[in-house]
Amino acid sequence: MGTSSTAGAGEEFRGDGSLALVPTFIVVAVDATGLGIILPLLPFYSLRLGATPFVIGALISVYALCQLIAGPIVGVLSDRYGRRKVLVVSQIGTCVGFVLLAIAGNLTLVFLARIIDGLTSGNISVAHAYAAEHSAPQARKQALGMTSGAIGTGLLVGPALSGLLVHYGDTAPVWAAAALSLISIVATIVLLSPDHPAAEPLYQQRVPEPTPARTIVGIRYAWRVLGLLIVFFFVNSMFLSQIGLFLSARFSWNGHAFGARELGAVFAYAGFINMVVQCFLITRANIFASDRVIVLAAFACMAIGFSGLALAERISLLAAFLTLIIVGMMFTRSTLTAELSRSTAINRQGMIMGLNQSLMSGANISAPLLSGALIGHQLYVGWTLVMAAIAMLGVVLAGQLLPPRQPAPELGTTRPGTYPPRSRASYGSSSVSQ
């Protein structure tokens, strides 16, 4: 096979890559909207059934434990049987979990609902793998940015819907999430193209098939990125698991403590910031700074924001510090996820994203328990300062683990001689079309 014909085929595939990912955006956005409906509601929904802050943390931990078990299996199955098939099964589990949560009359059923959802989870990691697989290496950050933007869209719309629907009863938002999950299943079947040889030019980047254990051990640079992601996941989980109860204890709106409606507004604001970061900031930031500098700055923003929460007493200050936290989280997650994807061969995207989700789940098992213990003992300042210290640890580790320049790719990440240089100029040229 001639070099020119191969390059031409690759260029043809890359040319329609953005259009091909539009269905992925729709599917992920619908999924994330359902998740966005549940996030602000679950703490207060559980409180009405008798949960303590520690039990709420345990709810999140048991979900994460199930993800830890299922994550690698889902990733490997998606590598073997195709992204779309595994995504549909995962979405069915989410839908069943939401229905069970809606009819739950006690905490036992709530735990069972979260266990079912956790064991079949993998929607986002499989979608990330699908996006990476259907994009060229130099456009992968844009592709993953599109899926992250879809998450932001869902997290903007979902909490707003939750705040509106809670007027019709505690279970109304949960039923809406279940309905959206069903719509997402149909959208996946109808809109996403099945895995077929149309993507074959990218699969010329495949590497010989070693055992999964040898593959995992061999991805040395990927493990550095995964180490930073673990720090991020831990602090992110501490924040999300108890932010509702923290705000309810420390802030009021129109004479009453923060509740599901106000927390929904906070999550909707976070979704809006997510969209702004993905659409306007992250690609432009890469023109002026390396991934290392971006991650350092993002962890620093989180540390400042968490420290500020310890002192904030007015809504205006709360909004300012929450903005720092959210912007830092968006930049950290997007940059490290894209870096992780680029460090791994194209036919191992499902495996690496599944491993990523498992490590995230490991952090999500312990972090909510620690967070729930602190909030349960009313150590609100301690909760914020612990998160600030972890974010500062992220700053230190990013300075040590991420090189000033992009390292050479792992064997098989792309065809020899076609890996684009990661200069500031190349960032700019590859990001313009997003």
Side-chain angles (χ1 to χ4, degrees), residues 171-356:
T171 61
V174 187
W175 283 115
L180 283 172
S181 183
L182 184 61
I183 292 171
S184 180
I185 294 169
V186 176
T188 299
I189 296 171
V190 173
L191 297 178
L192 290 193
S193 59
D195 300 281
H196 54 66
E200 194 59 30
L202 285 183
Y203 278 87
Q204 294 169 6
Q205 302 170 14
R206 285 181 180 270
V207 293
E209 297 285 343
T211 63
R214 287 183 61 188
T215 301
I216 291 172
V217 171
I219 48 176
R220 292 183 296 274
Y221 178 66
W223 276 108
R224 297 192 205 174
V225 181
L226 287 167
L228 287 170
L229 280 166
I230 290 173
V231 175
F232 167 74
F233 291 144
F234 194 93
V235 73
N236 181 68
S237 182
M238 281 194 68
F239 177 72
L240 290 179
S241 64
Q242 298 294 334
I243 182 62
L245 300 186
F246 172 83
L247 293 176
S248 180
R250 294 284 296 264
F251 294 92
S252 61
W253 181 259
N254 289 335
H256 63 85
F258 267 51
R261 188 188 315 170
E262 289 75 23
L263 186 59
V266 170
F267 276 98
Y269 177 66
F272 172 74
I273 296 297
N274 186 320
M275 292 178 63
V276 171
V277 169
Q278 294 297 338
C279 296
F280 302 107
L281 298 182
I282 195 165
T283 55
R284 287 161 178 78
N286 285 139
I287 299 174
F288 304 103
S290 66
D291 283 353
R292 180 175 183 267
V293 171
I294 290 172
V295 173
L296 284 168
F299 271 120
C301 278
M302 284 189 277
I304 295 170
F306 290 134
S307 300
L309 282 185
L311 305 174
E313 296 180 351
R314 300 194 304 271
I315 297 294
S316 58
L317 286 177
L318 172 65
F321 290 124
L322 283 178
T323 300
L324 283 175
I325 293 168
I326 295 165
V327 169
M329 286 182 170
M330 294 303 108
F331 269 101
T332 304
R333 181 189 292 273
S334 297
T335 303
L336 291 178
T337 302
E339 193 70 11
L340 181 65
S341 175
R342 282 193 297 264
S343 71
T344 311
I346 193 68
N347 60 317
R348 291 298 187 184
Q349 292 297 310
M351 182 205 69
I352 197 65
M353 291 303 173
L355 177 60
N356 180 44

Side-chain angles (χ1 to χ4, degrees), residues 86-215:
V86 174
L87 188 57
V88 168
V89 173
S90 174
Q91 290 168 320
I92 290 173
T94 297
C95 185
V96 171
F98 285 161
V99 170
L100 189 56
L101 184 63
I103 64 175
N106 54 63
L107 286 175
T108 301
L109 287 180
V110 174
F111 271 98
L112 181 60
R114 302 309 290 159
I115 288 170
I116 292 173
D117 195 2
L119 286 175
T120 57
S121 66
N123 310 27
I124 301 304
S125 63
V126 175
H128 275 316
Y130 182 94
E133 189 173 81
H134 287 72
S135 60
Q138 60 266 38
R140 200 165 296 162
K141 189 165 191 174
Q142 296 167 259
L144 292 170
M146 178 177 286
T147 58
S148 294
I151 295 171
T153 302
L155 293 181
L156 172 62
V157 176
L161 282 176
S162 185
L164 292 173
L165 292 173
V166 76
H167 294 292
Y168 301 98
D170 294 340
T171 61
V174 187
W175 283 115
L180 283 172
S181 183
L182 184 61
I183 292 171
S184 180
I185 294 169
V186 176
T188 299
I189 296 171
V190 173
L191 297 178
L192 290 193
S193 59
D195 300 281
H196 54 66
E200 194 59 30
L202 285 183
Y203 278 87
Q204 294 169 6
Q205 302 170 14
R206 285 181 180 270
V207 293
E209 297 285 343
T211 63
R214 287 183 61 188
T215 301

Side-chain angles (χ1 to χ4, degrees), residues 9-29:
E11 290 301 324
E12 180 182 357
F13 182 84
R14 286 190 289 270
D16 62 359
S18 297
L19 184 60
L21 289 175
V22 170
T24 313
F25 181 94
I26 295 172
V27 169
V28 174

